[in-house]
Amino acid sequence: MLSSYDLAAIMARLDAREAALDLLTQERQAAVAAILRAPAGSPGTALDPAGGREPEEAELLLIRRADHPADPWSGHMALPGGRREPADESLLATAIRETREEVGIDLAAHGTLLARLPEVPAVARGRRAGMIVAPFVFALRSTPELTLSDEVAEALWTPLGPLARGERTSRYAYTHEGNVLQLPCLLVDERVVWGLTYLMLKQLFEVLHR
């Protein structure tokens, strides 16, 4: 486990990871961005190395998807992202485009790619959705103002450390075909992060703890 979850420590841990190539697959593809930033005014980070105080822990951007009857993940807490379009030259391009469209952050201009995590098969309502999701991890060099699209009900920054250390781990009661399943989740204030987003964040935590 990292002794500190400040942005400099996270960037150092992820720096040696090799970038994976897009998989050749007949399944639909999507990509999301796990976006990290140093809190405003935090000293001693890789993006702002000056300062004598201890750096503060990095923050993670989470969104809540807007309610929509056609969206199997309607209302869920998530990472910015979405389906790959024919014009996207890669899944990395998908993550960058979707982030710009959903929350107004241009990762090409303001972000540094830190890692690509293993693809996760998308599951909706307890069944495989015929799609894989590629998570990318970015660090922001600066934080532009968020501009939310109609697909996003809200966006918030939350400290990564409590999530990674297991301090916010809980169980979520999910009813599937008449059965109540107790699924692992993360609690962010009164919001529940579970399912695909939980699995992708767990992958990030496992990499940081190696």
Side-chain angles (χ1 to χ4, degrees):
M1 185 173 294
L2 289 176
S3 58
S4 172
Y5 288 91
D6 66 273
L7 196 56
I10 292 171
M11 293 178 73
R13 180 60 60 91
L14 297 178
D15 184 56
R17 288 185 61 82
E18 296 182 1
L21 300 176
D22 289 349
L23 293 177
L24 296 177
T25 176
Q26 297 301 313
E27 290 186 291
R28 292 173 296 161
Q29 296 177 311
V32 299
I35 304 171
L36 304 174
R37 72 172 186 181
S42 176
T45 69
L47 304 187
D48 181 18
R53 293 184 290 116
E54 288 294 322
E56 298 180 37
E57 293 187 325
E59 295 178 332
L60 169 73
L61 179 64
L62 291 171
I63 66 170
R64 180 167 59 84
R65 300 184 63 83
D67 293 324
H68 194 288
D71 182 1
W73 300 283
S74 173
H76 288 200
M77 297 301 296
L79 302 170
R83 295 179 182 179
R84 183 174 184 173
E85 295 185 353
D88 295 335
E89 62 182 16
S90 65
L91 285 168
L92 173 59
T94 300
I96 292 172
R97 174 185 56 76
E98 284 283 341
T99 298
R100 182 177 61 251
E101 291 176 359
E102 290 189 342
V103 296
I105 294 178
D106 186 348
L107 291 172
H110 300 281
T112 298
L113 176 64
L114 301 184
R116 175 177 179 160
L117 302 175
E119 285 83 0
V120 176
V123 176
R125 302 185 178 100
R127 292 183 173 83
R128 284 286 300 267
M131 181 170 64
I132 61 168
V133 184
F136 294 86
V137 185
F138 291 86
L140 286 185
R141 295 187 294 272
S142 59
T143 307
E145 183 177 352
L146 298 180
T147 304
L148 306 186
S149 74
D150 293 341
E151 298 177 5
V152 179
E154 67 170 338
L156 60 100
W157 293 96
T158 188
L160 186 72
L163 304 179
R165 288 189 293 266
E167 297 170 9
R168 299 292 183 266
T169 301
S170 186
R171 310 294 290 184
Y172 173 64
Y174 174 66
T175 302
H176 176 61
E177 297 181 348
N179 298 314
V180 179
L181 307 176
Q182 296 293 330
L183 302 179
C185 70
L186 299 168
L187 300 180
V188 178
D189 297 327
E190 297 179 354
R191 304 164 183 86
V192 178
V193 180
W194 66 290
L196 282 175
T197 303
Y198 172 86
L199 291 176
M200 289 185 283
L201 290 179
K202 184 179 178 182
Q203 283 192 155
L204 172 58
F205 303 154
E206 289 173 351
V207 171
L208 294 177
H209 295 163
R210 287 175 187 166

